[in-house]
Structure formats: C-alpha cells, structure tokens
Amino acid sequence: MGTVIALDQYRMRKDPGRELHTLLAPPPRINDGQIFSRDYSKLDGIVFAVLKIREILRYHVQTNEEWQYLALQVLDAAYHFDAGHSALLREATGSLKDYILEEMDQDNGKDMTAALLLLDLIEKAPRFRERQPAQDG
C-alpha cells in the first residue's frame, strides 16, 4: 500500500545529492546593473567580480577545484597591480579565461560568458585608469 509523504521528502528520496548540491551552491544571480555599475579600477569592484566568478564556477564546476587557485591569482595580481608590470594581471586573467572556456558548454554558456566579461573588466580597468588625467580635489 502506498504512503503519503511531503514533496521535499519525495525529492530527497528520488535524488538525494541534488538537494544537498543546491544548498551548498545555489544558482548564480547575475544582474547586468550590478556588473556595469561597478568601478573595476578599485579594490571593491575587483573583489565583487572575483566573488561573482566564484559564485558562477562553484555552481557549474563541481568536479575540479583548479579554478579556486586561478581566481586567487587574479585577485592577487589585481591587488598588486603596477602599470609597469601589467603582464602579471593579463597572465592571471588569461589563465582563468582559458579554464572557463574549457568548462563552458551549451547549458552554462550564459553564466560563463558573464564570468569572462567580468575578467575582461578586471583586466582593462587599470589600464583605463592610467590614461585618466589626475584630478586634484
């Protein structure tokens, strides 16, 4: 004879790993307004971008954790950015971009493209800042 159970219990019986996965890594929330309203030449913009990339990769890439090291390299290179040594930032973002492109597929393409955009913004913003004339306040 059948028994009546709650829907949540049924889902857990059917696929117990799925429930745990969604609790640990919820789907990323990507908002164009959030992305384009930040200044990526400042540290808080860079930290936002790296955390958003982390959110995306944490959800879409469960089997490989190499991206965590690459994301820390990007954060470190951006924090220690020097106009004379911009190759370090370019190399760090390039490595993470290559990794993202390898992991990109038809299902996660939109989110991964947002991660690539954030990396471009991190890489290009310090150069843009260099060309701005200094403003005295």
Side-chain angles (χ1 to χ4, degrees):
M1 174 172 235
T3 58
V4 177
I5 61 173
L7 186 58
D8 291 337
Q9 289 176 346
Y10 174 73
R11 286 184 183 149
M12 286 296 288
R13 259 192 215 172
K14 191 173 179 183
D15 188 10
R18 179 172 165 19
E19 188 70 26
L20 180 62
H21 172 67
T22 58
L23 290 175
L24 295 177
R29 294 183 181 167
I30 301 170
N31 182 344
D32 291 344
Q34 280 183 332
I35 291 174
F36 292 111
S37 66
R38 304 276 178 170
D39 182 3
Y40 296 98
S41 63
K42 296 184 179 171
L43 186 59
D44 62 336
I46 294 167
V47 170
F48 166 80
V50 171
L51 288 175
K52 188 57 72 171
I53 292 167
R54 175 184 174 264
E55 183 181 338
I56 292 167
L57 292 175
R58 192 171 166 204
Y59 180 74
H60 290 292
V61 182
Q62 296 90 29
T63 57
N64 190 344
E65 296 183 359
E66 179 185 355
W67 62 266
Q68 294 176 4
Y69 174 72
L70 296 173
L72 284 175
Q73 280 187 323
V74 169
L75 187 60
D76 186 56
Y79 180 75
H80 293 104
F81 179 78
D82 179 12
H85 301 97
S86 63
L88 183 63
L89 181 60
R90 196 174 326 113
E91 181 182 332
T93 55
S95 296
L96 188 53
K97 284 179 190 178
D98 290 342
Y99 179 83
I100 290 171
L101 288 170
E102 287 176 13
E103 295 294 329
M104 187 183 288
D105 60 22
Q106 188 174 7
D107 297 329
N108 65 13
K110 184 178 178 184
D111 291 343
M112 293 295 207
T113 302
L116 291 171
L117 171 67
L118 287 165
L119 285 169
D120 280 341
L121 291 169
I122 290 172
E123 184 180 349
K124 304 289 193 268
R127 289 191 203 150
F128 178 72
R129 184 184 63 208
E130 303 174 342
R131 291 186 228 142
Q132 292 293 327
Q135 296 178 358
D136 294 327

